[in-house]
């Protein structure tokens, strides 16, 4: 963890791990407050609907970002995997929206608001893009040094 992109990727791992256990959205259904987490939609302590696809994408993006930290010797592969992490973070939002849309259409639930858990993947997305830029800059620097030799 000596390079800035490794720190960015480590922050992505930490934020996505926090996201996996954080509330994402607030919903209401028949005067009942529902909370959407990465693993399900809950009414208080009881689960109303499982949404395992969301936690799967969150966990996969954290795992791929963690693996990417240790690929510092292979910058081209690290850059490709960094793009994969960015795609997975975008896919996280698509998955959340798909489960949210399906649940609201099937049950007539209403959207009440967002929680901090839905913002953390966006911060992770920004950090992933910054890591990609730094990896690209490292690769460009190494190429220029090879050319000078």
């Amino acid at each position: 963890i000596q390079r800035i992109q490794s720190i960015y990727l480590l922050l992505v791992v930490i934020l996505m791990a926090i996201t996996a256990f954080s509330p994402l959205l607030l919903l209401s259904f028949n005067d009942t407050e529902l909370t959407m987490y990465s693993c399900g939609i809950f009414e208080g302590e009881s689960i109303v609907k499982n949404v395992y696809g969301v936690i799967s994408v969150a966990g996969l993006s954290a795992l791929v970002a963690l693996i990417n930290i240790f690929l510092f010797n292979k910058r081209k592969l690290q850059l490709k995997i960094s793009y994969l992490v960015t795609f997975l973070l975008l896919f996280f939002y698509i998955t959340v929206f798909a489960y949210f849309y399906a649940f609201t259409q099937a049950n007539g639930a209403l959207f009440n608001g967002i929680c901090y858990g839905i913002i953390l993947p966006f911060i992770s997305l920004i950090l992933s893009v910054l890591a990609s830029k730094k990896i690209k800059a490292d690769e460009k620097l190494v190429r220029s040094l090879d050319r000078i030799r």
Side-chain angles (χ1 to χ4, degrees):
I1 311 227
Q2 296 177 354
R3 301 180 322 165
I4 189 71
Q5 58 265 32
S6 297
I7 293 172
Y8 289 155
L9 291 170
L10 183 63
L11 287 173
V12 168
V13 171
I14 292 168
L15 290 175
M16 290 311 292
I18 293 170
T19 300
F21 302 104
S22 300
L24 303 175
L25 300 172
L26 297 174
L27 307 168
S28 64
F29 176 66
N30 293 340
D31 296 331
T32 306
E33 186 76 21
L34 302 173
T35 306
M36 181 176 184
Y37 287 85
S38 294
C39 58
I41 299 174
F42 289 86
E43 178 185 339
E45 295 287 324
S46 63
I47 191 161
V48 176
K49 178 164 176 52
N50 292 323
V51 289
Y52 292 127
V54 178
I55 198 163
S56 299
V57 174
L60 184 62
S61 61
L63 181 66
V64 172
L66 182 65
I67 291 169
N68 201 13
I69 292 172
F70 299 105
L71 294 175
F72 56 88
N73 287 336
K74 302 173 184 174
R75 283 175 299 281
K76 289 181 182 181
L77 179 61
Q78 190 180 29
L79 185 62
K80 290 177 184 177
I81 293 179
S82 182
Y83 290 147
L84 176 65
V85 170
T86 303
F87 171 75
L88 286 171
L89 291 170
L90 290 172
F91 191 66
F92 174 83
Y93 281 110
I94 293 168
T95 308
V96 168
F97 178 74
Y99 276 106
F100 164 74
Y101 183 76
F103 183 76
T104 56
Q105 292 301 311
N107 299 318
L110 300 172
F111 173 73
N112 275 355
I114 62 171
C115 296
Y116 67 92
I118 201 77
I119 297 168
L120 296 178
F122 182 72
I123 297 169
S124 296
L125 183 67
I126 293 169
L127 291 170
S128 178
V129 170
L130 288 174
S132 298
K133 286 185 178 187
K134 291 296 183 178
I135 294 167
K136 239 189 253 184
D138 273 1
E139 181 64 23
K140 186 176 178 183
L141 178 65
V142 168
R143 283 187 189 177
S144 70
L145 292 176
D146 285 345
R147 192 173 55 235
I148 290 173
R149 284 191 231 163

